[in-house]
Amino acid sequence: MPKAPDRTTIADGLSISRLVCGLWQVADIEKGGETIDPERGADALEAYTRAGFDTFDMADHYGSAEIIAGRLLARYPARQRPLAFTKWCPEPGPMTAEIVRKGVQERLDRLGAQKVDLLQFHWWTFEHPAWLDALHEMAKLKDEGLIGAIGVTNFDAAHLRVALSDGVPLATNQVSFSLVDRRAAGELSALCKEKGVKLLAYGTLCGGFLSEKWLGKPEPAEIPDWSRSKYKRFIDVAGGWRGFQGILATASEIGRKHGVSLSNVASRWVLEHEAVAATIIGARLGESEHRDDNLKVFGFALDAEDRARLDAAFAATTPIPGDCGDEYRKPPYLTASGDLSHHLDAIPSVFEAVPVPSRPNRLRVSSGSLWEPIAGYSRAVRVKDTIRVSGTTATHGGDRCVAPGDPAAQTTYILDKIAASISALGGRVEDVVRTRIYLRDVAKWEPASRAHGRVFGDVMPANTMIAAGDLIGDYEVEIEAEAVVDDPAS
């Protein structure tokens, strides 16, 4: 059996363990109000470090995890200390240099560190475009030496592409990836391979469901902890308990063949994907440690027969809908707390609907574009039940072009902007009945069409695509839309 986890290198020569210790369970342990003693918590992390598990992942909302990790870091010389990855998950709103610096400095203070090895950014709704401001400010702090590498968490392929094409130096994207949730194996992995970004996979053991403990067992009626509640929702959406048992049985048989556990097979399947740098395994700080078993992941490899058997088990289940991160932003909400629509609805819109003077039943919104007051137009106008959105480009703020030269990324950004303007006027993307796409280069129709399809694949509005020739500036795409808001009474 290997004596320590395999290692890999991500951006800027950062060498990490391919099994990362995730500290999300600190929040679960502390949910009753009792805080873990930081030194005792650090003792537990030090035991992992001595066993070669020297890379730890946490977040600003994982209870006292950052403080515990900080006590661990203080025990080591700077050049020999373990690695601390954390996340900053601000509420959507303006992301000024001061706000971003404050958020990063709080992470540094809680860790007691001069630099965050990997700072990962989460954003709740891409209809609020300030996420790009935050990432560009983080890049400046990286240049200052306050951040070692920048990552994102729960980004789908489309928005990861926007960030990369806009020049953000991203190293990683942390997403759900398991035998049950296989979304990351598709377009996201292909993009990561193209751009050199690595995936950090969480949920690999589905909160403990992917283990012998659940093989052949009846479906649980109640689940006490938040982590397992989350992954039970994934199992339900993936076709239910019967299909899940098929995956368990197949993984168990493969494990017996190789002399390893079912959980080892689940982790190995994820690690063998080229885009994956590491999987994140929960550490319960002394309560439930499986270091020796986890090391067995690096002592075998799946062969073609193993993968074919797993593919057959997958075929009896239902793929999780959408792309990575969708579980936080749209139905079905597959999170620990379930339906997040109330949280998302409470996030202020980036646009403000204002009445049109002397015109009853008419509202309009402005996006702040430099050209709207000059040319005399609104981003969108609502008259009674109809919303019309002007031709929209990938303009960030007053006049900056987002993702120059990338029609797919620009289309994604534009459709977020259109969705935000429709939302501010009381509509939804599902209300769109017509779109028109204008292209600078007709040869680039496919990336723009695919980006449009990701948003409107279920809505299926009427659509026209036009080769417009030269568009103003560095814009590859311009899109206009029309929506009809149904009367709730009807």
Side-chain angles (χ1 to χ4, degrees):
M1 182 179 75
K3 295 182 178 180
D6 286 354
R7 304 190 71 78
T8 190
T9 300
I10 59 175
D12 299 316
L14 191 63
S15 175
I16 71 170
S17 166
R18 293 204 74 199
L19 283 183
V20 173
C21 296
L23 304 185
W24 63 81
Q25 292 175 343
V26 170
D28 195 30
I29 294 169
E30 295 181 341
K31 66 183 178 183
E34 184 175 348
T35 303
I36 296 171
D37 176 77
E39 293 299 337
R40 293 185 64 183
D43 290 342
L45 298 189
E46 190 166 6
Y48 277 95
T49 302
R50 289 197 298 267
F53 297 84
D54 65 349
T55 308
F56 299 92
D57 178 77
M58 63 216 78
D60 55 3
H61 58 286
Y62 289 0
S64 61
E66 290 176 326
I67 294 171
I68 293 170
R71 298 296 177 90
L72 173 71
L73 300 185
R75 299 178 181 184
Y76 290 82
R79 293 185 177 274
Q80 300 175 15
R81 68 170 178 79
L83 298 177
F85 300 169
T86 192
K87 306 178 194 73
W88 181 43
C89 310
E91 291 293 325
M95 288 285 117
T96 64
E98 293 75 19
I99 290 172
V100 176
R101 183 177 290 273
K102 180 179 178 182
V104 174
Q105 189 61 52
E106 185 178 60
R107 310 280 66 73
L108 293 169
D109 292 344
R110 283 169 62 88
L111 289 168
Q114 298 298 311
K115 177 176 70 176
V116 180
D117 297 312
L118 174 70
L119 183 57
Q120 302 159 96
F121 176 74
H122 174 82
W123 194 248
W124 289 102
T125 171
F126 293 116
E127 289 184 19
H128 199 302
W131 63 275
L132 272 178
D133 297 322
L135 285 173
H136 281 293
E137 290 300 329
M138 288 171 63
K140 294 176 184 177
L141 298 181
K142 178 181 183 297
D143 291 340
E144 287 186 27
L146 300 182
I147 300 172
I150 301 173
V152 290
T153 182
N154 298 311
F155 269 49
D156 57 27
H159 291 91
L160 182 64
R161 179 178 289 278
V162 173
L164 293 168
S165 295
D166 204 45
V168 180
L170 295 180
T172 62
N173 184 15
Q174 185 175 145
V175 295
S176 171
F177 199 178
S178 70
L179 294 176
V180 173
D181 179 11
R182 302 177 296 278
R183 294 172 297 173
E187 186 178 356
L188 183 59
S189 282
L191 177 64
C192 288
K193 182 178 179 180
E194 174 191 344
K195 300 292 187 179
V197 175
K198 289 296 184 179
L199 296 178
L200 300 178
Y202 69 86
T204 305
L205 301 182
C206 286
F209 275 118
L210 283 167
S211 70
E212 278 85 357
K213 177 181 177 180
W214 292 99
L215 178 61
K217 296 298 192 300
E219 185 172 2
E222 295 183 2
I223 301 173
D225 63 275
W226 70 265
S227 179
R228 201 163 288 158
S229 296
K230 170 180 179 176
Y231 294 108
K232 178 56 167 59
R233 292 188 175 94
F234 276 87
I235 291 169
D236 292 342
V237 171
W241 197 249
R242 182 175 180 179
F244 175 64
Q245 285 294 318
I247 291 175
L248 285 184
T250 302
S252 179
E253 291 167 3
I254 294 171
R256 286 196 298 272
K257 169 183 169 181
H258 293 282
V260 298
S261 69
L262 189 163
S263 296
N264 292 155
V265 173
S267 293
R268 187 71 207 178
W269 181 83
V270 174
L271 282 168
E272 288 188 358
H273 286 79
E274 183 180 352
V276 175
T279 63
I280 304 173
I281 307 296
R284 289 194 68 86
L285 305 190
E287 290 187 19
S288 179
E289 299 173 356
H290 304 282
R291 289 191 291 268
D292 288 343
D293 184 64
N294 287 334
L295 285 176
K296 294 178 182 177
V297 169
F298 303 106
F300 76 105
L302 300 176
D303 58 31
E305 179 189 33
D306 299 331
R307 289 187 287 272
R309 293 179 68 184
L310 285 169
D311 287 343
F314 298 156
T317 66
T318 303
I320 302 294
D323 200 350
C324 295
D326 284 356
E327 64 269 29
Y328 289 94
R329 302 180 181 100
K330 61 180 70 172
Y333 294 101
L334 305 176
T335 68
S337 54
D339 189 345
L340 291 178
S341 57
H342 64 286
H343 172 76
L344 297 172
D345 290 343
I347 295 173
S349 172
V350 67
F351 299 141
E352 180 184 1
V354 297
V356 178
S358 303
R359 303 297 300 228
N361 300 318
R362 188 171 297 190
L363 298 169
R364 64 189 178 202
V365 297
S366 170
S367 63
S369 166
L370 174 69
W371 285 101
E372 287 171 13
I374 293 175
Y377 69 95
S378 297
R379 173 59 40 220
V381 176
R382 176 169 180 167
V383 180
K384 296 182 180 179
D385 64 350
T386 301
I387 300 171
R388 296 177 177 87
V389 184
S390 296
T392 304
T393 56
T395 302
H396 188 74
D399 60 0
R400 185 176 77 81
C401 176
V402 171
D406 190 329
Q410 288 194 3
T411 299
T412 295
Y413 185 90
I414 289 167
L415 294 178
D416 288 337
K417 197 170 180 180
I418 287 173
S421 64
I422 291 173
S423 178
L425 291 167
R428 302 183 304 160
V429 165
E430 291 79 4
D431 297 321
V432 172
V433 296
R434 154 70 73 180
T435 57
R436 292 183 179 87
I437 303 174
Y438 302 90
L439 294 176
R440 174 191 294 274
D441 181 356
V442 70
K444 297 180 179 179
W445 65 269
E446 186 171 353
S449 293
R450 291 189 180 278
H452 182 276
R454 278 190 291 271
V455 175
F456 292 113
D458 293 330
V459 181
M460 304 292 283
N463 169 256
T464 303
M465 180 172 281
I466 301 168
D470 284 342
L471 297 175
I472 298 171
D474 294 323
Y475 300 111
E476 299 290 332
V477 187
E478 184 169 342
I479 304 175
E480 61 184 54
E482 183 172 324
V484 177
V485 183
D486 294 332
D487 181 355
S490 65

